[in-house]
Amino acid sequence: MARKPGGGRTKPKATPAGDGAPRGTLKVDLALQGGGAHGAFTWGVLDRLLEEPWLVIEGVSGTSAGAMNAAVLADGYVAGGAEGARLALAGFWRAVSDAAAWSPLRRSPVDVMLGRWSLDTSPAFIAMDVMTRLFSPYDLNPQGLNPLREILAACVDFERLARSPMKIFVTATNVRTGRGKIFRNAQLSPDVLLASACLPTMFQAIEIDGEAYWDGGFAGNPTITPLVRETDADDTILVQINPRERPGTPRTAAEILNRINEVSFNATLLKELRMMALLRQVVGPGAQGEAARWARMRTHRIRSDMMVRLGQSSKLNAEWAFLTMLRDEGRRAASEFLETRGDRLGRTSTSDMNVLLEQEC
C-alpha cells in the first residue's frame, strides 16, 4: 500500500458507483472555508479527494486558509497532476509549521499536559490577545511583516497558477465599501492571498490597486456565486471548518468571541445557500437562466465534529503534530463522505438545505 505525501498510508479507494464498477468522471466544485491552522483539516480532505481519479475539480472558491489551500492545490496540479497537488499541499503546510517553530505562540505546559491543542493558557497568546485590544497592528507591527508572504512566494508559482485548468476564486473584503472582491487565477499573488486572510486586529490591511482589503470571511466564507456563474460543474462540495451550530450557550469571554466569529463568518455563506434552497422550491422544471442554474446546483458538505471541540486560539497553533492530526481527520471525514454519500455525487444533493428556510418563532 502506497504512502501518501503527507505521511501515513493511503486508505483503500471508495467505490462510488455503489457496486464496485468503475464510474465515469464527474466535474465538481469545491468551497473551502478559512480558519487559520484549522485549514489543515481542509488539506486532509483535499489529499483524500485527489486520490479519486473520477473526481475532476473544475472550480475552487476559497477564503483565508481556504484561499491558500486553493492556490497551492491548483498550482501543484499544473506541475504534476493529482500527485503534484498532494505534494504541494504537504510542502506548504510543512513550511507553515517550520516558520512557526520558534514562535512564542505555543501551547503552555498546562495545555500540553492536559492534551489540549488550544493556546488559552499560553503567556504569549494572552499577552497578544490583550495587546490587540489596546493597540492596532499599525502600532504593533509598523513594517507590516508577515512570514506567510515569503512562504506563499516560495510555495506557489503564480505565473503557472494563472494557467491552471482549475478556476480559482479568492474572496477579500474591501475595507472602504465593505463589499467582497473576487480575485481569479491571473490576478492572484501573495498579497491577494494575504488580503483574504487579513484579520484586522492582527495585520495591517493589504493594499491592492489602491484599495485596502481585510479578511474575506466578512464578505463570504467562501463565496458560492462565482462557482454557480462561471463553472460547468453542478456539484459543489463545501469543506466546513467553522461549525454552523454549536451546543450550549457560551459563557466565558473566549467562548463568546469564538461563537461571534463563527456566526459572522458563516452569515454570508448561509445567505447564499438559503437563496439556493428557495430557488429550488420556486423554479420550475426546464427553466433557463441564472436562477435555474442556482436551483439545480447539487450541494454536499464534508465536516467533522472535532472542529466543534477546538477553540478559537487553536487557529494560531502551527505545531506539526496538530496540523497532521487535523490532516488525518480531514482524510477520515472525506473517506467517510465518499463511502456513505459518494454514490449520490452527480445525482442529488447530500446536504439538506431546506432546514435553512425554517424560521424560528
Side-chain angles (χ1 to χ4, degrees):
M1 191 175 290
R3 290 189 178 274
K4 60 187 175 70
R9 294 178 180 273
T10 58
K11 295 185 178 180
K13 300 292 191 295
T15 54
D19 55 6
R23 180 170 177 176
T25 58
L26 175 70
K27 290 181 179 179
V28 298
D29 290 333
L30 302 177
L32 310 181
Q33 287 196 316
H38 292 185
F41 172 82
T42 301
W43 164 30
V45 171
L46 297 175
D47 190 68
R48 180 65 185 87
L49 295 181
L50 287 165
E51 293 179 348
E52 300 296 330
W54 61 281
L55 288 176
V56 178
I57 302 171
E58 183 175 5
V60 187
S61 179
T63 295
S64 191
M68 296 180 190
N69 273 321
V72 174
L73 165 75
D75 177 51
Y77 195 88
V78 177
E83 284 303 305
R86 296 176 69 206
L87 286 167
L89 285 163
F92 169 73
W93 284 101
R94 178 82 252 191
V96 169
S97 182
D98 288 347
W102 302 106
S103 169
L105 289 174
R106 305 186 69 80
R107 288 185 295 164
S108 72
V110 173
D111 287 323
V112 173
M113 181 179 63
L114 295 177
R116 298 186 305 215
W117 293 108
S118 71
L119 306 180
D120 290 345
T121 61
S122 164
F125 174 78
I126 294 171
M128 184 197 73
D129 189 44
V130 171
M131 293 291 283
T132 56
R133 296 168 197 262
L134 299 174
F135 302 98
S136 85
Y138 296 86
D139 301 317
L140 299 174
N141 184 10
Q143 300 298 317
L145 301 177
N146 190 329
L148 277 174
R149 179 176 278 105
E150 287 70 33
I151 293 174
L152 290 167
C155 292
V156 181
D157 183 330
F158 287 91
E159 291 185 3
R160 185 170 60 198
L161 176 58
R163 306 191 301 271
S164 175
M166 295 182 192
K167 297 177 181 178
I168 305 300
F169 308 100
V170 169
T171 302
T173 303
N174 186 303
V175 178
R176 178 178 59 85
T177 66
R179 297 172 59 187
K181 165 78 173 179
I182 308 297
F183 295 89
R184 294 160 177 81
N185 294 55
Q187 301 169 301
L188 298 182
S189 67
D191 275 351
V192 168
L193 297 180
L194 291 178
S196 183
C198 181
L199 291 172
T201 58
M202 293 184 64
F203 301 106
Q204 294 185 23
I206 303 296
E207 188 169 307
I208 301 171
D209 296 330
E211 294 281 2
Y213 291 93
W214 279 342
D215 196 295
F218 297 114
N221 191 22
T223 306
I224 303 297
T225 301
L227 299 178
V228 176
R229 291 178 173 174
E230 301 180 39
T231 79
D232 295 326
D234 286 331
D235 287 76
T236 295
I237 302 173
L238 168 66
V239 182
Q240 184 174 345
I241 289 179
N242 297 293
R244 183 187 301 172
E245 297 182 1
R246 182 177 286 277
T249 302
R251 297 187 180 278
T252 68
E255 291 172 345
I256 291 170
L257 287 173
N258 184 38
R259 191 56 183 154
I260 288 173
N261 286 331
E262 289 174 347
V263 171
S264 61
F265 274 32
N266 278 333
T268 305
L269 171 64
L270 290 177
K271 286 182 180 178
E272 288 187 300
L273 295 177
R274 190 177 294 114
M275 179 178 68
M276 193 180 296
L278 179 62
L279 287 173
R280 284 181 181 175
Q281 294 187 357
V282 301
V283 175
Q288 300 295 319
E290 184 171 335
R293 172 82 174 128
W294 277 93
R296 71 170 180 266
M297 181 69 75
R298 295 179 290 266
T299 57
H300 315 274
R301 182 169 58 145
I302 297 177
R303 56 175 292 277
S304 170
D305 289 336
M306 175 185 289
M307 308 312 289
V308 179
R309 299 193 295 271
L310 296 175
Q312 178 78 5
S313 66
S314 65
K315 292 181 179 181
L316 298 176
N317 184 353
E319 293 178 51
W320 185 240
F322 182 52
L323 300 182
T324 53
M325 183 276 292
L326 288 172
R327 177 205 63 198
D328 293 345
E329 178 62 15
R331 284 184 56 82
R332 186 207 61 77
S335 290
E336 180 183 37
F337 169 81
L338 291 168
E339 291 162 6
T340 60
R341 288 166 285 167
D343 60 335
R344 294 167 62 186
L345 282 166
R347 298 182 174 93
T348 183
S349 291
T350 61
S351 178
D352 182 13
M353 292 194 302
N354 288 330
V355 297
L356 299 177
L357 298 178
E358 299 174 359
Q359 297 293 328
E360 295 186 359
C361 299

